[in-house]
Amino acid sequence: MRSIGALTLAAALAQAAPAAPTFVDVAAQTGLVSTFDSITGYPGLHGHMVGGGAVADFNADGRPDVFLPAGGTAPDRLFINQGPGTSGQVTFAEQAGAWGCDATHRSGGVATADVNRDGYPDLFVVSMGDASAGAVPSANLLYINNGPDETGAFSFTERGASSGVTGIVPIVDGLGAAFGDYDLDGDLDLAVAHWSSFFGNFRLLANDGTGHFTDTTDLLEQPGSNIRGFQPRFADLNGDRYPELVVTGDFGTSVIWFNLGPDDADGVSFELRQKEANLGADCNAMGSALADFNNDLLLDWYITNIYYDISDTCGNTLYLCQGLDEHNTPVFEDLARERGAQQGGWGWGTCPIDLDHDGDLDIAATGGWRFWDPIPSRLYINDGTAHFSDAAAAAGTDFVGFGRGYVPLDYDNDGDLDLLLIANENTARLYENRTPEAAANHWLRVDVTTTTNPCLAPGGFGTHLYLTAGGVTQTHHLDGAPSYLACGQQTAHFGLGAADTIDALEIRWADGSATTLTDVAPDQILHVTAYHPADFNADGSLDGADIAPYADAFLSGDPAADLDRDGALNVDDIEAFVAALAGDACP
């Protein structure tokens, strides 16, 4: 018989145990009903690998919308968020036809960003041609967001050919894509991955600032073998502001091109440092999640792979960053097996998510392949030390099928993150987060606006945020939230646990400037605007109205007047201010 003390202890432990995470698929009741069914005519195995989408606020109303390709058996779909109705339930209205993005084609990956700096997100879709005809090399689509017309109606205009994003490779191929400002010139460049065995098929395209792209792949040091690319992304891994180009690749071909910044000719160059970074554990890398999973303020890299159950080999990799070496290269160690996040079957999409607002990042992952043991999607719960346990079954996210894109969004703007799962030959799932701890704990969401600063890429790409609350500092980076062939909501989301005050929120912009806020209230969506450092009256313009407030700041010794950031106020700062007003706004 158990003692009274043992029973009391057991009851206390049961009471202290956190409630299971809870998600409910609300796709049908919200109207987000879409099936991805790839048709014959995709090259090789591409038809089985595809299934992407994108989340963005396309009409700038403060609510996330969802774009979902259909795979060629039906027109692509655009779901515009209608907000809560009379019942309180958020719904979506399918409006792809009205917006002009209802192509019926062989789609690949999707990425979204404001490519022409007009304040509205545009849409890039990898394509292999119209479904009514044969497959075509690089028939990619670039939908430019026209913004509202005189009646308030929004629309896209497809400008793939005139923008330079079609015909970029000579073979029928194309999977993941991502935007990022690799040269820090304030506009968003584009990377596109291709999987077929064709040497040099990865493409890096530079934006001229108007939304027109040119091939700059020659900047990339080429590896000794072909990159069988699945998903690229841009992220600064070593703190020098210049983003690295991180690519998952099949058959052990993943790479990180380290951005060396400008050379003597004022150009940017990239260098491969695979050995130095201790990469190579991933066997068949597909999906990619870059985040700080152990709260050491360094970005880690979680990659979905194929787990071979018979030999107990490969599987997902959890590259935890161990620090920077003497050459400023991050050094990684794969600890997926030791930390409980390895066995995900045939993995594809993945994303980080603090689903319970406890201040550490959990991992959502999905996958599946024909003629392979069906493995449910995973929901790895972080115990706070980057050790994980799968709770997908309890949470209701244990989808079994051919999961592909998997991305976070706050579709109902209630402060917790929901999940969008896109599946090949199946309907999309919209998992609403109803986790008790998410409601009980505090949180903060930060949305940034950077179009007011010509030196920063739109959407805050390249921004790093550092939040301190309850004695713990967390970090989040903004890079378009790519997963596998899909991208999530571009926002910084922090779980705070029981902390009811945010001591400091430091936002480090990609141009080297920073905004620091203190004593921030939690449980809110915080909107922060980045103004040019010389825009001293914060009106979004660099003009004569900034002269008087700059002079006051300079004479009073305000550190904000140190425009060259050398730690001293002198004539160099005045010259930098004058240059900014004259139009030479960016260093």
Side-chain angles (χ1 to χ4, degrees):
M1 178 180 293
R2 300 171 67 185
S3 68
I4 298 297
L7 290 172
T8 302
L9 177 60
L13 290 173
Q15 184 177 12
T22 304
F23 287 81
V24 176
D25 180 12
V26 296
Q29 68 192 71
T30 61
L32 199 147
V33 179
S34 182
T35 298
F36 188 96
D37 192 0
S38 54
I39 62 169
T40 58
Y42 278 87
L45 297 172
H46 281 72
H48 303 302
M49 297 190 292
V50 289
V55 178
D57 183 6
F58 291 111
N59 58 359
D61 65 354
R63 299 187 289 259
D65 311 304
V66 178
F67 174 79
L68 292 176
T73 56
D76 292 347
R77 299 174 176 91
L78 177 65
F79 296 92
I80 299 300
N81 195 321
Q82 305 298 296
T86 55
S87 66
Q89 174 64 59
V90 171
T91 59
F92 293 89
E94 202 289 300
Q95 298 180 5
W99 281 64
C101 58
D102 57 341
T104 304
H105 67 117
R106 300 173 183 86
S107 61
V110 183
T112 182
D114 178 6
V115 303
N116 56 1
R117 297 192 63 90
D118 66 352
Y120 298 103
D122 310 300
L123 185 63
F124 175 76
V125 187
V126 174
S127 180
M128 301 169 219
D130 191 277
S132 64
V136 178
S138 295
N140 304 326
L141 305 170
L142 181 61
Y143 293 109
I144 299 298
N145 193 329
N146 299 316
D149 64 14
E150 62 277 4
T151 68
F154 282 75
S155 64
F156 287 114
T157 299
E158 202 289 300
R159 294 179 181 166
S162 62
S163 296
V165 300
T166 63
I168 56 177
V169 296
I171 56 174
V172 180
D173 194 4
L175 286 172
F179 287 102
D181 184 8
Y182 75 78
D183 50 5
L184 299 187
D185 63 354
D187 52 55
L188 288 166
D189 312 302
L190 176 65
V192 185
H194 304 82
W195 179 81
S196 297
S197 183
F198 174 75
F199 190 78
N201 58 6
F202 189 88
R203 287 293 181 268
L204 177 65
L205 307 173
N207 188 342
D208 68 358
T210 68
H212 185 272
F213 295 84
T214 56
D215 192 336
T216 55
T217 309
D218 287 345
L219 294 175
L220 305 176
E221 178 188 0
Q222 292 302 310
S225 60
N226 181 43
I227 299 171
R228 303 293 292 272
F230 278 121
Q231 181 62 51
R233 64 192 306 159
F234 295 89
D236 173 20
L237 301 179
N238 56 13
D240 66 355
R241 299 189 291 116
Y242 284 87
E244 278 63 58
L245 180 50
V246 181
V247 184
T248 55
D250 209 350
F251 310 117
T253 64
S254 297
V255 298
I256 298 179
W257 274 292
F258 284 91
N259 194 328
L260 304 182
D263 57 23
D264 292 338
D266 201 31
V268 168
S269 59
F270 293 84
E271 180 179 87
L272 290 169
R273 297 181 185 172
Q274 311 304 98
K275 182 178 179 180
E276 294 86 345
N278 196 33
L279 300 177
D282 52 289
C283 301
N284 305 93
M286 286 86 145
S288 174
L290 274 174
D292 179 14
F293 293 108
N294 55 359
N295 277 349
D296 63 356
L297 306 184
L298 298 170
L299 290 180
D300 310 304
W301 190 14
Y302 185 74
I303 303 174
T304 53
N305 286 265
I306 303 171
Y307 177 70
Y308 297 93
D309 185 53
I310 294 177
S311 59
D312 189 27
T313 58
C314 295
N316 299 340
T317 55
L318 177 60
Y319 286 125
L320 291 181
C321 185
Q322 305 300 303
L324 306 179
D325 69 10
E326 65 274 17
H327 302 294
N328 210 31
T329 302
V331 179
F332 297 95
E333 182 180 4
D334 175 29
L335 295 172
R337 179 187 293 272
E338 294 86 343
R339 302 302 180 96
Q342 179 197 25
Q343 299 183 24
W346 193 301
W348 294 102
T350 185
C351 62
I353 173 175
D354 184 355
L355 62 88
D356 48 11
H357 290 162
D358 64 353
D360 51 58
L361 290 174
D362 313 298
I363 300 173
T366 191
W369 190 250
R370 291 156 185 78
F371 315 115
W372 201 262
D373 290 341
I375 300 295
S377 299
R378 305 299 197 191
L379 193 61
Y380 292 114
I381 306 301
N382 192 334
D383 71 351
T385 66
H387 289 78
F388 297 88
S389 57
D390 180 29
T397 61
D398 53 339
F399 168 78
V400 178
F402 307 131
R404 297 297 179 259
Y406 209 4
V407 296
L409 75 164
D410 183 6
Y411 91 96
D412 49 5
N413 279 348
D414 66 350
D416 56 43
L417 287 177
D418 313 300
L419 287 165
L420 172 67
L421 187 151
I422 305 155
N424 191 298
E425 295 187 7
N426 214 313
T427 56
R429 268 71 173 166
L430 178 60
Y431 293 119
E432 180 181 309
N433 191 345
R434 298 182 183 176
T435 301
E437 265 68 26
N441 289 332
H442 296 292
W443 56 274
L444 181 73
R445 182 177 125 194
V446 185
D447 293 348
V448 303
T449 299
T450 53
T451 50
T452 46
N453 186 338
C455 308
L456 296 175
F461 280 71
T463 303
H464 287 251
L465 299 93
Y466 296 84
L467 179 148
T468 301
V472 176
T473 299
Q474 304 175 51
T475 186
H476 187 102
H477 74 295
L478 295 175
D479 68 346
S483 171
Y484 172 78
L485 309 190
C487 57
Q489 190 172 357
Q490 176 79 333
T491 189
H493 177 268
F494 298 93
L496 307 176
D500 57 6
T501 300
I502 297 160
D503 301 315
L505 174 66
E506 182 184 6
I507 305 172
R508 299 179 188 174
W509 309 104
D511 66 351
S513 62
T515 299
T516 301
L517 306 174
T518 57
D519 297 326
V520 178
D523 306 326
Q524 64 166 317
I525 301 173
L526 182 67
H527 298 273
V528 181
T529 299
Y531 295 100
H532 188 279
D535 183 9
F536 270 76
N537 65 349
D539 65 353
S541 300
L542 296 175
D543 52 34
D546 298 301
I547 295 176
Y550 177 73
D552 291 341
F554 185 89
L555 294 174
S556 66
D558 187 339
D562 180 17
L563 294 184
D564 63 359
R565 305 186 191 96
D566 66 351
L569 292 178
N570 51 42
V571 68
D572 293 337
D573 300 301
I574 297 174
E575 290 178 352
F577 177 74
V578 173
L581 296 191
D584 185 14
C586 302

